[in-house]
Amino acid sequence: MTARNFIEAVNGQSVFPPPIWMMRQAGRYLPEYRSMRQKAGSFLDLCYNPDFAVEVTLQPIRRFGFDAAILFSDILVVPHALGRDLRFEEGVGPRMEPLAEAEIDDLAREGGDFHNRLAPIYETVGRLRSTLDPETALIGFCGAPWTVATYMIAGRGTPDQAPARLFGYSSPEAFARLLDVIAVRSAEYLIRQADAGADALQIFDSWAGVLDEESFQAWCVRPVAEIVRRVRARHPHVPIIGFPKGAGVFYGDYRVATGVTVLGLDWTVPLGQARALQKRGAVQGNLDPMRLCAGGRALDEGVDAILEALGGGPLIFNLGHGVTPQTPIAHVERMVSRVREASR
Ligand code: CP3
């Protein structure tokens, strides 16, 4: 069995020291990433060229020896493969043509080309699984329908996702159809990644934290539950990590309501609450990325508090969101050795 420690922890066993990886571990804080990015020309060329994507995925593994590699790609390749245009502007972020209500049913009709467009990504997953050390887990991923929809509707990242919330309330049937298309396609996308060798799958709901109770249920929980149901029908044992960032009190029911195996916690979740959540299964997280960026005592105390509160149960040590470009490499090394050298 590959990646034993990681898979055991994910499935609810206590492993100490816990396995560790970092969200957005391949990226601009690494000079070797910046140099590949220049060579590739554009961010999407990195994602769709298996030679580049394999290399960039492996960079943080070589440097830090993380217990898991995450496929190098982006959550927005799903709408891109559905025919929406997409570009990444240097220092600005993703840009898309804002989706009009009248275009939603065309998305659902988009048929044959979806998996052809994503084929290079499936190839990257296959090559990665055969290249990686068997003890290193390979994580595939997609965005949750709500988070993906926020970018499709606004055409860019927005501070409070107001355009998507407004769309959802103004045109509830059309919005439900949109979430449904994204969920169905994302499930297919994850199934293909698992077919190609991904050991675990993560669903990123980065903007889950801006919704009221009813819309959280309808727009975050329900579509993710649908993805989980579809993936499990084909891969009953593949672990699925749900990351509803900012879900706050809604974290309580999320695991049961969606069926995800692991709860990904952002750094605002109190460790006492995290411990209660850990009684029902593994948790992943939840160091504030700014503690990592700051280093020193802020980092050490943050790591120790998590190990102290959660080290006795099933834990995958991670940040509470992605590592930022300004983060010094020495701080990442320090975090990894502090976790690896911990004793209890
Ligand atoms: O190392 C990894 O984690 C794997 C690769 C990965 C990327 N994006 C690469 C990337 C993963 C898992 C993602 C997920 C993703 N993409 C999310 C969910 C996680 C989160 O951070 O909330 C979201 C919301 C996106 C959409 C996206 N992609 C944005 C908003 C941006 C611009 C902001 C930024 O951080 O640059 C991207 C670009 C992006 N995705 C980069 C990378 C390495 C930077 C691109 C560059 O090199 O300029």
Side-chain angles (χ1 to χ4, degrees):
M1 177 166 148
T2 52
R4 210 160 5 98
N5 268 356
F6 182 88
I7 297 299
E8 281 179 3
V10 156
N11 284 324
Q13 294 184 44
S14 306
V15 176
F16 197 90
I20 175 172
W21 68 284
M22 277 194 319
M23 288 188 274
R24 302 292 288 271
Q25 62 193 17
R28 282 165 298 177
Y29 74 110
L30 293 176
E32 60 269 35
Y33 171 83
R34 295 195 297 269
S35 121
M36 282 301 281
R37 168 84 157 76
Q38 268 204 315
K39 227 195 255 176
S42 80
F43 175 72
L44 283 175
D45 288 330
L46 268 187
C47 296
Y48 290 130
N49 179 323
D51 292 333
F52 288 136
V54 166
E55 172 57 26
V56 168
T57 305
L58 296 175
Q59 286 173 346
I61 307 304
R62 288 196 198 106
R63 234 184 219 278
F64 308 113
F66 288 124
D67 295 283
I70 182 162
L71 163 71
F72 189 84
S73 177
D74 196 84
I75 64 168
L76 298 180
V77 299
V78 166
H80 192 227
L82 284 171
R84 304 303 298 169
D85 68 29
L86 170 66
R87 55 192 195 283
F88 284 84
E89 290 175 7
E90 195 93 52
V92 183
R95 288 290 181 273
M96 309 182 80
E97 201 54 51
L99 182 73
E101 185 172 336
E103 295 175 302
I104 289 175
D105 293 326
D106 298 339
L107 285 179
R109 277 192 288 273
E110 211 297 323
D113 241 23
F114 181 76
H115 292 294
N116 289 338
R117 294 184 191 190
L118 296 171
I121 295 179
Y122 308 140
E123 185 181 334
T124 299
V125 173
R127 284 206 217 167
L128 278 167
R129 192 50 284 171
S130 53
T131 309
L132 281 164
D133 183 292
E135 280 307 308
T136 310
L138 177 61
I139 302 173
F141 73 93
C142 70
W146 159 249
T147 289
V148 171
T150 66
Y151 288 95
M152 293 176 79
I153 287 165
R156 59 178 66 204
T158 50
D160 53 6
Q161 296 71 57
R165 282 153 56 212
L166 183 60
F167 189 110
Y169 293 123
S170 309
S171 306
E173 285 90 23
F175 193 59
R177 288 203 301 281
L178 173 59
L179 293 175
D180 205 50
V181 176
I182 303 170
V184 168
R185 290 310 205 163
S186 300
E188 293 176 11
Y189 178 53
L190 290 180
I191 288 166
R192 298 275 184 131
Q193 292 180 48
D195 292 344
D199 302 297
L201 302 167
Q202 177 155 327
I203 302 173
F204 285 91
D205 216 345
S206 304
W207 298 127
V210 298
L211 298 175
D212 68 24
E213 189 172 6
E214 193 188 320
S215 33
F216 184 83
Q217 287 304 319
W219 301 344
C220 290
V221 171
R222 201 190 52 84
V224 169
E226 182 61 22
I227 293 177
V228 171
R229 191 184 68 73
R230 286 170 180 262
V231 171
R232 288 268 159 75
R234 292 286 294 279
H235 288 279
H237 303 298
V238 71
I240 303 175
I241 306 165
F243 178 55
K245 180 173 177 287
V249 294
F250 302 140
Y251 264 113
D253 303 323
Y254 190 83
R255 191 197 311 260
V256 171
T258 58
V260 298
T261 323
V262 178
L263 270 185
L265 308 178
D266 69 77
W267 69 90
T268 69
V269 177
L271 292 174
Q273 186 190 342
R275 216 175 146 129
L277 294 167
Q278 203 184 28
K279 297 219 156 66
R280 322 251 323 241
V283 295
Q284 172 175 283
N286 68 342
L287 185 74
D288 183 346
M290 288 304 119
R291 283 190 183 268
L292 180 65
C293 196
R297 269 184 61 187
L299 171 57
D300 292 351
E301 288 171 2
V303 169
D304 294 352
I306 292 169
L307 293 177
E308 165 81 26
L310 305 175
L315 170 68
I316 295 93
F317 195 98
N318 205 313
L319 305 181
H321 196 199
V323 60
T324 56
Q326 319 82 308
T327 302
I329 285 166
H331 296 184
V332 179
E333 291 166 348
R334 182 173 174 134
M335 172 182 74
V336 171
S337 43
R338 202 164 178 94
V339 170
R340 290 259 163 87
E341 286 156 23
S343 53
R344 43 196 335 270

